[in-house]
Amino acid sequence: MINFQNIMETINMIEKEKLDIRTITMGISLLDCCDSSGKKARTKIYDKITKYAENLVKVGEDIEMEYGIPIINKRISVTPMALIAQASDDKNYVEFAKTLDKAASAVGVNFIGGFSALVEKGYSKGDKILIESIPEALAVTEKVCSSVNVGSSKSGINMNAVDDMGRVIKETAYLTRDADSIGCAKLVVFANAVQDNPFMAGAFHGVGEGEAFINVGVSGPGVVKAALETIKGANFDTVAETIKKTAFKITRAGQLVANEAARRLGIPFGIVDLSLAPTPAVGDSVARILEEMGLEVCGTHGTTAALALLNDAVKKGGIMASSHVGGLSGAFVPVSEDEGMIAAVKAGALSLDKLEAMTCVCSVGLDMIAVPGDTPASTLSAIIADEAAIGIINNKTTGVRIIPVHGKTVGEEAEFGGLLGTAPIMPVNKFSSADFISRGGRIPAPVHSFKN
Amino acid sequence: MRAFITVIGDDKIGIIHGVTSVLKKNRVNILDIHQTLLQEYFAMMMLVDLKEMPIGFQELKDDLVEVGKELGVSIKLQHEDIFKAMHTI
């Protein structure tokens, strides 16, 4: 029998500590939508997405109503579009992005991910076309998210793609200049991208996945912070145990919602992503958890150690709570989407260099970081290269979602609205990386990737 | 289906009567009930069985919220599995 305290604890987590299910994401394979005619392929894509995801939003809302736990987003991820579109003779894939946008609107989801290419070793015909189509695709659509995987521990880093992505980001920023370059907030450059990530903007449905899956991303930074508030001054053994127990409970809620959504939609359950995903709302911040551990402001010395402990404890607690764990799983540190991170940047405590160090121990990478609009493309590429190197050497996923805000500079802010938040513009290193990036070629896979 | 009803608010006469009247009207059976005072707040949880209920979950929820407004208390109805999932291994 559940006791009174347990019931009140759950209700408090939801009401006061902002526990929610961040996303139910339906992954849909589009591999059977290839066609030599781009137009026919797009018809197949639209029909398939709208058929599979017809009831996704309604089922999400029903579960929210019956279980009393908010489910913030319902989303869709699809097979990397470069793989589907390149069967056609089209020379530009913007129309494919428009089809995804239309399908997403038809079923009522707020984002659709998978305008993507996997180019860690090189470009196939369609990969190049897709990458060149990204700026316009993100400018003319609202809900489409794009990602490009430029490196992996097994194949090294494709430095030609890294070079191209610096330019693609700049161009995307320019084409969406009227909205603080928001197009870049829908574009992630990955190393070691995962195939079952439910979180945007980096979600796509990998080629090794099944026909369709239900993947769920949990959240709950506020719950972890509240748990730590009850053990002020305790040692790290106690801190780690407390986070583990809290992560277990959060993840169990995610597993329940995932099972229920899968059952009602008649689509198999894929994974639960054990992530602490913050929002710009007060009380929903990862930075504030690190500060609760004893740091005056997030970003000061000790931040990397605090984040390492947090990330590890979240995984340890969450793994036992879910039958299949996947996605990115860990703590996210998106600057503009985290009220505490924004405050830390404004206080001068959190720099780009410290964030880079933090990405060595958290679940993703440099996320939602605004930099001056006049940052050279080669500097953006070099930032991507650094992150990709951290990823491939440490066998972890790293991503870069960086916004060179057109026409703005340090001291100003970019305002994206909603979950994407507000980003203070951070300075980048003023010395050039252009000659480094222009070399091209591939950085070889690290020696420890040869495990066979 | 079984669900938990939780009622929290300022203590006053007639809270249990108000809630159980809605349950009786909708053929909802009470399996367990626990009530206490947290400082000056009235707090109650009920485990209820909804299998004979002729109306939908949302309608019962709306009815309970309505009576909660009249009584000046917060009333929630949630499927029991959310609590079982989070608090049992």
Side-chain angles (χ1 to χ4, degrees), chain B residues 29-76:
Chain B
N29 191 27
I30 300 168
L31 303 172
D32 194 8
I33 184 164
H34 181 99
Q35 187 251 305
T36 187
L37 286 176
L38 295 172
Q39 284 113 37
E40 73 276 28
Y41 286 112
F42 172 91
M44 176 172 73
M45 74 167 198
M46 283 177 173
L47 177 62
V48 296
D49 188 339
L50 308 180
K51 71 170 180 272
E52 289 186 32
M53 183 173 70
I55 58 171
F57 197 95
Q58 177 77 61
E59 290 159 85
L60 179 63
K61 204 169 178 169
D62 293 344
D63 278 3
L64 287 168
V65 168
E66 191 58 34
V67 78
K69 274 186 196 152
E70 286 165 23
L71 294 165
V73 293
S74 151
I75 305 184
K76 289 184 197 313

Side-chain angles (χ1 to χ4, degrees), chain A residues 1-4 6-11 13-15 19 64-69 248-250 252-253 256 320, chain B residues 1 4 6 8 32 34 36 43-45 47 57-58 61 76-79 81-89:
Chain A
M1 178 62 196
I2 307 296
N3 69 38
F4 195 66
N6 294 152
I7 303 240
M8 292 314 293
E9 185 184 352
T10 293
I11 289 176
M13 282 181 177
I14 295 168
E15 300 262 304
L19 172 65
E64 174 169 351
M65 186 268 293
E66 284 173 32
Y67 292 88
I69 184 165
F248 177 86
K249 291 173 188 168
I250 295 171
R252 291 281 282 194
L256 172 70
M320 187 176 154
Chain B
M1 185 204 287
F4 279 104
T6 48
I8 300 169
D32 194 8
H34 181 99
T36 187
M44 176 172 73
M45 74 167 198
L47 177 62
F57 197 95
Q58 177 77 61
K61 204 169 178 169
K76 289 184 197 313
L77 173 70
Q78 289 165 278
H79 196 299
D81 283 355
I82 184 79
F83 304 105
K84 276 165 77 177
M86 288 179 74
H87 299 286
T88 56
I89 293 175

Side-chain angles (χ1 to χ4, degrees), chain A residues 146-406:
Chain A
S146 177
S147 55
V148 176
N149 192 55
V150 298
S152 75
S153 296
K154 273 288 182 194
S155 55
I157 306 172
N158 177 352
M159 290 299 289
N160 298 322
V162 169
D163 184 7
D164 286 341
M165 289 314 296
R167 284 187 288 102
V168 165
I169 290 171
K170 283 284 280 189
E171 202 182 326
T172 305
Y174 180 74
L175 291 182
T176 54
R177 61 192 178 280
D178 293 340
D180 276 350
S181 302
I182 198 170
C184 300
K186 298 181 283 178
L187 172 60
V188 189
V189 186
F190 276 121
N192 288 328
V194 291
Q195 314 237 332
D196 51 11
N197 165 24
F199 285 102
M200 295 298 168
F204 63 86
H205 187 73
V207 286
E209 299 285 302
E211 177 68 4
F213 274 126
I214 290 296
N215 300 319
V216 163
V218 299
S219 182
V223 182
V224 174
K225 179 171 184 292
L228 292 183
E229 283 169 3
T230 65
I231 55 153
K232 281 197 186 297
N235 64 18
F236 284 114
D237 312 64
T238 310
V239 170
E241 280 302 302
T242 304
I243 296 170
K244 275 161 65 180
K245 286 179 189 159
T246 310
F248 177 86
K249 291 173 188 168
I250 295 171
T251 310
R252 291 281 282 194
Q255 178 77 45
L256 172 70
V257 167
N259 286 344
E260 204 48 36
R263 186 181 67 77
R264 294 183 190 197
L265 289 161
I267 284 177
F269 158 65
I271 56 97
V272 174
D273 188 319
L274 319 171
S275 286
L276 288 185
T279 70
V282 172
D284 209 12
S285 156
V286 169
R288 299 297 184 197
I289 299 174
L290 307 180
E291 291 170 359
E292 183 61 37
M293 284 190 211
L295 303 169
E296 186 180 357
V297 182
C298 175
T300 189
H301 303 291
T303 301
T304 310
L307 182 59
L309 180 151
L310 173 65
N311 203 49
D312 185 63
V314 165
K315 286 180 192 170
K316 285 172 177 163
I319 281 170
M320 187 176 154
S322 172
S323 53
H324 294 283
V325 171
L328 299 164
S329 286
F332 291 172
V333 289
V335 174
S336 77
E337 299 174 358
D338 186 309
E339 166 272 321
M341 296 276 174
I342 296 169
V345 171
K346 286 183 178 167
L350 182 60
S351 67
L352 200 52
D353 292 339
K354 188 62 179 178
L355 278 161
E356 183 179 319
M358 290 162 71
T359 66
C360 301
V361 299
C362 78
S363 67
V364 208
L366 292 174
D367 198 12
M368 288 304 285
I369 290 166
V371 295
D374 61 0
T375 305
S378 57
T379 297
L380 298 174
S381 292
I383 291 170
I384 293 167
D386 282 342
E387 274 304 303
I390 289 169
I392 70 158
I393 297 291
N394 294 301
N395 288 306
K396 74 181 288 292
T397 304
T398 47
V400 174
R401 185 159 53 142
I402 194 164
I403 303 111
V405 186
H406 188 84

